[in-house]
């Protein structure tokens, strides 16, 4: 399985695990956060959310050109 950010296709080493949802001792979902585009998602989301190729094209970004992001909110 190739693991990439669903939004910008950043590699796994640019995505960190934020939280694990537990049911007793079993992990039932994991929240990931992309360090490149700041997208956050759970691994249990539908394919239309977690698969770059299945997402609507306007929701995807390229980290090669952050100036082209439709909404770029600078940090405070």
């Amino acid at each position: 399985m190739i693991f990439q950010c669903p939004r910008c296709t950043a590699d796994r080493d640019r995505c960190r695990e934020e939280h694990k949802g537990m049911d007793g001792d079993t992990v039932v979902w994991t929240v990931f956060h992309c360090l490149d585009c700041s997208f956050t998602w759970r691994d249990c989301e539908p394919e239309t959310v977690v698969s770059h190729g299945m997402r609507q094209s306007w929701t995807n970004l390229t980290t090669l050109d952050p100036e082209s992001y439709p909404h770029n909110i600078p940090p405070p």
Side-chain angles (χ1 to χ4, degrees):
M1 176 183 168
I2 297 173
F3 184 96
Q4 296 178 320
C5 170
R7 187 182 196 197
C8 73
T9 67
D11 290 333
R12 172 70 176 103
D13 63 336
R14 299 295 304 154
C15 301
R16 68 178 181 227
E17 292 182 6
E18 290 288 312
H19 182 73
K20 292 182 182 287
M22 304 294 289
D23 183 10
D25 293 333
T26 305
V27 175
V28 292
W29 48 262
T30 304
V31 174
F32 295 95
H33 176 78
C34 178
L35 300 172
D36 288 348
C37 74
S38 297
F39 186 62
T40 302
W41 73 99
R42 287 186 296 182
D43 58 0
C44 63
E45 304 272 1
E47 285 293 307
T48 54
V49 173
V50 298
S51 176
H52 185 80
M54 294 184 72
R55 292 169 51 86
Q56 293 182 19
S57 62
W58 67 268
T59 66
N60 295 329
L61 300 174
T62 174
T63 58
L64 300 176
D65 186 17
E67 296 301 318
S68 70
Y69 289 7
H71 304 285
N72 193 356
I73 302 170

